[in-house]
Amino acid sequence: MAVSATHSLPHHRHTPSPDHHFLSPRVPLHNDCISDYLTMADPVRPTTPDRVSRSSFSSLRENENTLTQDFTHSKLSSYVASDEEAVEDSTTHHTTDPKPSPPINTRELDMIQTQTQFQPPVTKPNSRLLGYWTPADSFRGWKEIQVKGKFASKSFSDLKILNQSWSPPPFPKKHVNKNRANPPGEAPIERLPFEILTSIINRLVLDIPPNGVTRRNIDLMSLLLTSKTLHFATLESLYSRITIPHSRIFHKFLTHIAAHPPLGTIVRRIDFCHFNPSQLFMSAAERSSARNLTSETLLQCLELTPHLQEFLAQEYIDDDLSAEVLQKLFLGLPRLQAVDFCGCSSEKFKKAFTSIVTPDWPTELSIRRLSMHKCLNLPSAVFETILPRLAHVTHLDLAGTRVTDAALAAIPETARITHLNLAKCKLLSARAVIDFLTNHPAVKELKFLSLSTDARTHQMLDVQDVTELLPILPKSLKSLSLKGSRMDASHIDLLLPLTKHLEELALGRSLKLSDVNRLFVPDAPAVDKKDEDSMDVDEEPWVQPTLKFIDLSDFWGTELDLPYLFSRDCVILRQKSEPLEVVEIAEDVFKRVSKSHGALKQIGWRTSEVGSRGWLVRESLSGGVKDDGCRAWKMGAESWGMRKIPVAKAEVGGMYGFMMFARKL
């Protein structure tokens, strides 16, 4: 901050060296007369009084390091043509050059005085000690100031010379030794708040193993050995989310938390979705003989992780989910919020689950996100017992299960379901599903709804059911699947309002491609010449749909008119359909389309496939806009068209990735 011209007290302590000359902050001097001016002195000045006895301005010395004020500039300027003796000093103490002062150049002194004038203080108009210097009345601007015998210009170098005499001295820079090592625990990264430091370290965590038995999280291992601060912060990231790709990792993890129980209290998630027993063992019997992952060791693991919040299982460990393990999950972990039993359908799993489900369970369970995706053989009694106790459920995946109308209706009204998957639930009736979606308060904020069926084996919704269903769907919906239902052209008008907020839409059977085309372009206005009043009706403005993904996999064989799809009359693959990026097609249609790479590339599309599913994918949107596909409601998934609800926010992979994007249903 610059110091005002009227202030003579700088805000910092400045202790000059004995051989350093200071300039007046108010007087512009020529370089060749600075030394003469600074050494002006009265040859008969008396001796300096004792420094201890003085408390006024005269007690200040340039070599007094303890003083907080520096009056060097004011003291020097006060002796220019001085008529008042403020200090009676002898010539015994000098802090400047002790050599005799040369005679002053009177011509230069007269020039200095004509260029400046002294303004005395208002309270002491006769004092020459207190006050300040200002340009003289004859001052005609910077152009008229002579520097080194010539008029100064506005160049930077000349103004810099003037600044040395008219501005206060620069604040001394603090010398920083860059080579000096930080003391333990004082490195810049160690001084960060713990929340920020943990967020940085979390960037190094690998949820998906690089491949089977390869070491992972090596960077985290290195951080553990860096310092105590980083060690503590890294433990939080390393143990909060545990991914188990094979049984040897599980055994190592269990050994660590058994030897150090406090580590078990950090664990929030145990993830088996990447588990593959064939990576280390050739058969299940060989894996069982290793005794790394068994129902006993799994139960021990749950006992050592009392703060567990997410348990993600899958079909490869269903035999190890004993009755004791299931009992611990549902009733022994009060903080558990998410459970996934994707694909668990072994006979052992069925018997264990049936044995623990009893009417004397507590009225409420802590679970908020539950996936029973493809738990094919669990009896209906399991769902009729569990669903009424999910008072706060938000994510519910019951695809392929034996859930009944009674179990669905028994979900508490306090639930707030945002994700609901009822795909291929053959025991559910269309009437019960429509009544549930219409009247139940728990589904008023749905974001994901799947009512898919395999049209070759089962149909839940017919034309009338779809007509009744579409108007009652909430505006919060982002993904809707009607795959396998019977539809007709009249449903397009009912779907149009939904396409203004939907991002994923799976259509059913019996539609034509020309009907689907109406979702992306407005219908031509039909004017009846006989009805004059029809011209006065204001039509609603067209709003572009928000669809990013559309599923046409129920258009089998010749039902998908490929010549029309690539014609100019159809806009599905044209720029007018943006932001549409992905079109799913049936397996037999994909084989035909994949042979036309040239035609697809010409209009900016390509093919993509995984497992038994195939898509047409737009290369890029107009204007270079890129969309990575990340959405909060997708819980970490980036691809479009997922068919399994994730119950934990994580990268998609392993068995869950296969169920989401590689299987038909």
Side-chain angles (χ1 to χ4, degrees), residues 153-221:
S153 66
K154 292 184 179 180
S155 65
F156 172 77
S157 59
D158 291 333
L159 292 178
K160 185 177 181 181
I161 294 174
L162 296 174
N163 179 70
Q164 292 178 356
S165 59
W166 286 94
S167 299
F171 192 85
K173 295 183 178 180
K174 184 178 180 181
H175 179 69
V176 179
N177 186 3
K178 297 182 179 180
N179 297 325
R180 182 177 62 87
N182 293 301
E186 294 297 326
I189 192 173
E190 294 178 290
R191 295 197 300 267
L192 289 174
F194 184 77
E195 295 81 4
I196 298 178
L197 186 58
T198 302
S199 299
I200 295 174
I201 297 176
N202 283 340
R203 299 277 183 174
L204 303 176
V205 178
L206 294 178
D207 287 336
I208 299 180
N211 59 44
V213 296
T214 302
R215 292 183 62 191
R216 59 193 179 93
N217 290 328
I218 299 177
D219 294 331
L220 296 181
M221 298 297 117

Side-chain angles (χ1 to χ4, degrees), residues 26-28 80 110-118 133-138 166:
R26 309 294 176 251
V27 184
V80 180
D110 292 339
M111 183 191 67
I112 294 172
Q113 293 175 337
T114 58
Q115 291 184 354
T116 62
Q117 62 181 359
F118 180 77
W133 289 88
T134 62
D137 295 336
S138 60
W166 286 94

Side-chain angles (χ1 to χ4, degrees), residues 208-461:
I208 299 180
N211 59 44
V213 296
T214 302
R215 292 183 62 191
R216 59 193 179 93
N217 290 328
I218 299 177
D219 294 331
L220 296 181
M221 298 297 117
S222 300
L223 283 177
L224 288 174
L225 305 176
T226 303
S227 69
K228 292 182 178 180
T229 302
L230 293 180
H231 180 91
F232 179 74
T234 305
L235 285 178
E236 180 76 17
S237 300
L238 189 61
Y239 280 89
S240 62
R241 299 191 300 269
I242 302 298
T243 301
I244 309 294
H246 51 80
S247 61
R248 187 179 297 169
I249 292 292
F250 177 79
H251 176 72
K252 183 178 180 180
F253 164 67
L254 181 60
T255 302
H256 273 279
I257 62 175
H260 309 282
L263 294 178
T265 62
I266 304 176
V267 179
R268 298 295 182 268
R269 177 193 299 171
I270 298 179
D271 186 356
F272 287 95
C273 76
H274 301 280
F275 188 84
N276 188 353
S278 62
Q279 291 177 348
L280 295 178
F281 305 103
M282 299 300 296
S283 63
E286 186 179 351
R287 175 171 68 92
S288 179
S289 61
R291 306 297 296 175
N292 289 335
L293 177 60
T294 64
S295 58
E296 292 80 12
T297 57
L298 187 56
L299 179 61
Q300 181 186 2
C301 176
L302 296 179
E303 295 286 354
L304 293 172
T305 54
H307 300 157
L308 189 66
Q309 296 178 359
E310 299 170 343
F311 182 82
L312 312 179
Q314 46 115 328
E315 61 185 73
Y316 282 141
I317 67 166
D318 55 0
D319 284 344
D320 300 313
L321 299 175
S322 63
E324 292 77 15
V325 171
L326 295 174
Q327 186 87 7
K328 181 66 177 179
L329 286 172
F330 282 99
L331 304 178
L333 296 172
R335 300 190 183 186
L336 191 67
Q337 296 185 2
V339 182
D340 199 326
F341 296 112
C342 177
C344 295
S345 56
S346 67
E347 190 64 24
K348 287 185 178 180
F349 177 75
K350 173 187 174 182
K351 292 181 179 179
F353 222 127
T354 305
S355 64
I356 67 166
V357 175
T358 59
D360 59 352
W361 270 25
T363 57
E364 288 188 9
L365 298 177
S366 63
I367 296 173
R368 295 175 180 267
R369 302 182 297 275
L370 176 64
S371 174
M372 311 288 284
H373 191 90
K374 297 292 182 179
C375 293
L376 303 176
N377 59 353
L378 287 181
S380 301
V382 171
F383 303 99
E384 293 173 356
T385 302
I386 294 179
L387 295 188
R389 291 169 168 79
L390 301 178
H392 306 287
V393 65
T394 59
H395 295 59
L396 188 59
D397 192 337
L398 303 174
T401 64
R402 297 181 180 180
V403 61
T404 61
D405 296 343
L408 187 65
I411 294 177
E413 295 183 357
T414 56
R416 292 295 177 264
I417 301 177
T418 59
H419 294 64
L420 181 62
N421 190 355
L422 301 177
K424 298 184 72 172
C425 294
K426 298 182 179 181
L427 299 184
L428 289 177
S429 64
R431 182 73 266 153
V433 172
I434 294 175
D435 288 343
F436 176 76
L437 295 174
T438 303
N439 303 316
H440 205 290
V443 289
K444 299 305 180 183
E445 299 177 1
L446 276 176
K447 295 182 179 180
F448 179 97
L449 176 62
S450 177
L451 302 176
S452 305
T453 58
D454 187 351
R456 294 181 176 89
T457 59
H458 176 65
Q459 174 184 296
M460 181 169 65
L461 302 175

Side-chain angles (χ1 to χ4, degrees), residues 422-560:
L422 301 177
K424 298 184 72 172
C425 294
K426 298 182 179 181
L427 299 184
L428 289 177
S429 64
R431 182 73 266 153
V433 172
I434 294 175
D435 288 343
F436 176 76
L437 295 174
T438 303
N439 303 316
H440 205 290
V443 289
K444 299 305 180 183
E445 299 177 1
L446 276 176
K447 295 182 179 180
F448 179 97
L449 176 62
S450 177
L451 302 176
S452 305
T453 58
D454 187 351
R456 294 181 176 89
T457 59
H458 176 65
Q459 174 184 296
M460 181 169 65
L461 302 175
D462 60 17
V463 174
Q464 185 59 36
D465 296 327
V466 176
T467 303
E468 188 176 353
L469 171 68
L470 292 178
I472 65 166
L473 295 177
K475 293 183 178 181
S476 59
L477 202 60
K478 297 295 182 182
S479 178
L480 172 64
S481 178
L482 301 175
K483 181 177 171 61
S485 60
R486 183 176 294 275
M487 305 179 67
D488 62 19
S490 64
H491 294 145
I492 299 299
D493 294 328
L494 298 176
L495 283 171
L496 277 172
L498 296 175
T499 60
K500 311 312 177 186
H501 54 80
L502 282 175
E503 292 189 287
E504 293 181 345
L505 176 62
L507 297 174
R509 302 157 44 226
S510 304
L511 288 173
K512 297 180 180 179
L513 202 57
S514 57
D515 298 329
V516 181
N517 192 62
R518 291 177 53 206
L519 295 175
F520 301 97
V521 290
D523 294 333
V527 179
D528 189 357
K529 295 182 180 181
K530 296 181 181 180
D531 189 1
E532 298 179 356
D533 296 335
S534 63
M535 299 295 295
D536 299 330
V537 177
D538 294 333
E539 296 184 359
E540 294 184 2
W542 171 258
V543 178
Q544 189 67 14
T546 57
L547 290 175
K548 306 285 289 186
F549 167 87
I550 189 167
D551 187 349
L552 304 180
S553 58
D554 268 0
F555 289 64
W556 305 328
T558 57
E559 292 180 0
L560 186 66

